[in-house]
Amino acid sequence: MVDKAVVAFSGGLDTTVVVKYLQEEYNLDVVTVTVDVGQNEDYKKIESKARNLNVKNHYNLDCKVEFVKDFVFPSIKANSLYQKKYCLATALTRPLIAKKLAQIAKKENADFIAHGCSGKGNDQVRFDITLQSESDLPIIAPIRDLNLNREKELQFAKKHGIKIEKLAKRFSIDQNLWGRSIEGGMLEDPYNEPEDDLFLWTSTKYFPDEATYLEIEFKEGIPISANNEFREDPVQLIKYINEKAGSHGIGIIDHIEDRIIGIKSREIYENPAATCLIDAHLDIEKMAQTNHEVRFKAMIDDEWTRLVYSGLWDEPLKKNLDMFINSTQRNVTGFVKIKMYKGNLRIVGRKCKNSLYNKNMITYGNDSDFDQRVSSGFIKLWGMQSTEANKLQKNV
Ligand code: ARG
């Protein structure tokens, strides 16, 4: 009997080539699994691509809601931007896809689990670590194991009559509901400006002539509506924000990124909704949290993001940080008003249910109860040591 491998399949160059390699070079039966995390592909087409490759079985799993609720929302609570730029779109899907692969492998009684990651990237780390804790099956990664590169893959694809789409020939692209990542080709020279036709979600010219407002409602740190709509539909909510913000050219990121394994890479991202929602969330948090909480949480957010980027989604520390982060979201409930106009995003208003912003304190008008005279005593103590040290140094 022939052994069986379950493989994550997107229908793109890497995973298509991997299916063929598993069959031809490793002599395995192959079962393909496509996990729908909002990449908005034609899943019928992906299935027929898989069937044309003579796979033994194909699964298409709609995991959009799970992805948003269990992966994207926690990342919003953590204001997650790796190296202050990357919203983790790809990184967040990997543990979810790996968990699904392990489940299907069990169901299919498979002997191996396979993926199409190279040995240069982050995804191999993320897939392998989750797979190792979800399953005891050996992992095969043909592109890494056979030291393949895109040239060789394209040749292999051509030899086997596998059709690859135009853009996929030029770049390596990964997309889901939370963002689109583009690497490779002319982008490998970090001085090359990305060509406009690379961007599918974000306009680079011809913006609407009217500003668009987005009123985002948060409940305990989670976005629950936009312009009072999509209350029951978190997937639609994110799609809507992607479309609105994308049409104004919001959310293009050009980033020099430090990969887990120590390589620097140049990445282009399109993530209009992530740009809006993380900005809005950061803003409303400042209404709800004390100065100490805001400062300390920024460090926790950064560590959370680093762990998730690095493939440690199920690391106990990450779960501890989740508990901390959740407990800081109690009062993060209210509205943030965003204005977008011709490539520009501005937060122009916010209101929060249990806000620490107190107009009575801050007002320049004459209706404040704040006794300004108490401040001078505070300043004396606050600056006391620094003043003393400066005087000693200057021999005053
Ligand atoms: N650098 C990002 C990450 O590691 C995105 C990788 C996306 N892959 C791609 N083929 N474009 O999460």
Side-chain angles (χ1 to χ4, degrees), residues 70-82:
D70 297 346
F71 294 84
V72 173
F73 284 171
S75 82
I76 295 174
K77 290 186 197 170
N79 301 312
S80 211
L81 291 177
Y82 178 67

Side-chain angles (χ1 to χ4, degrees), residues 311-327:
L312 299 173
W313 178 264
D314 288 309
E315 151 70 39
L317 174 61
K318 141 85 174 43
K319 291 179 188 164
N320 292 326
L321 298 186
D322 273 328
M323 283 192 264
F324 170 81
I325 291 170
N326 281 333
S327 82

Side-chain angles (χ1 to χ4, degrees), residues 64-80 92 177-178 216-225 230-238 241 277-278 281 297 304 313 322 325-326 329:
K64 291 192 284 290
V65 174
E66 195 177 342
F67 175 54
V68 173
K69 288 194 169 162
D70 297 346
F71 294 84
V72 173
F73 284 171
S75 82
I76 295 174
K77 290 186 197 170
N79 301 312
S80 211
L92 291 169
L177 201 57
W178 198 226
I216 311 286
E217 180 179 1
F218 285 94
K219 189 171 176 219
E220 295 181 8
I222 290 171
I224 55 163
S225 77
F230 312 108
R231 209 167 284 279
E232 301 302 320
D233 195 341
V235 172
Q236 245 357 85
L237 174 77
I238 291 177
I241 302 173
L277 287 171
I278 293 173
H281 180 262
K297 183 170 177 288
W304 190 97
W313 178 264
D322 273 328
I325 291 170
N326 281 333
Q329 300 300 294

Side-chain angles (χ1 to χ4, degrees), residues 172-241:
S172 168
I173 298 170
D174 179 65
Q175 68 183 41
N176 61 61
L177 201 57
W178 198 226
R180 190 162 174 265
S181 321
I182 313 154
E183 294 169 354
M186 56 86 74
L187 301 171
E188 287 179 358
D189 178 344
Y191 202 72
N192 277 347
E193 181 179 341
E195 292 149 358
D196 276 3
D197 69 343
L198 216 77
F199 299 111
L200 297 187
W201 293 14
T202 344
S203 306
T204 49
K205 42 186 173 259
Y206 314 125
F207 304 116
D209 280 326
E210 299 264 300
T212 298
Y213 286 90
L214 273 179
E215 190 188 47
I216 311 286
E217 180 179 1
F218 285 94
K219 189 171 176 219
E220 295 181 8
I222 290 171
I224 55 163
S225 77
N227 295 342
N228 211 11
E229 287 190 82
F230 312 108
R231 209 167 284 279
E232 301 302 320
D233 195 341
V235 172
Q236 245 357 85
L237 174 77
I238 291 177
K239 270 194 190 160
Y240 173 79
I241 302 173

Side-chain angles (χ1 to χ4, degrees), residues 19 43 85 111 161:
V19 170
Y43 297 100
K85 291 250 187 169
D111 306 280

Side-chain angles (χ1 to χ4, degrees), residues 9 12 48 154 243 326 330:
F9 185 72
S48 74
L154 284 167
E243 277 159 29
N326 281 333
R330 253 189 319 261

Side-chain angles (χ1 to χ4, degrees), residues 14 82 86 88-92 94 121-123 126 150 171-175 180-184 255 257-260 265-269 308-309:
D14 295 329
Y82 178 67
Y86 167 43
L88 298 184
T90 297
L92 291 169
R94 286 355 190 191
N122 296 318
D123 289 335
R126 300 169 183 146
R150 284 180 71 79
F171 302 102
S172 168
I173 298 170
D174 179 65
Q175 68 183 41
R180 190 162 174 265
S181 321
I182 313 154
E183 294 169 354
H255 183 214
E257 186 168 301
D258 283 294
R259 288 192 183 165
I260 310 161
S265 69
R266 194 271 189 95
E267 306 275 337
I268 304 292
Y269 298 110
V308 172
Y309 181 84

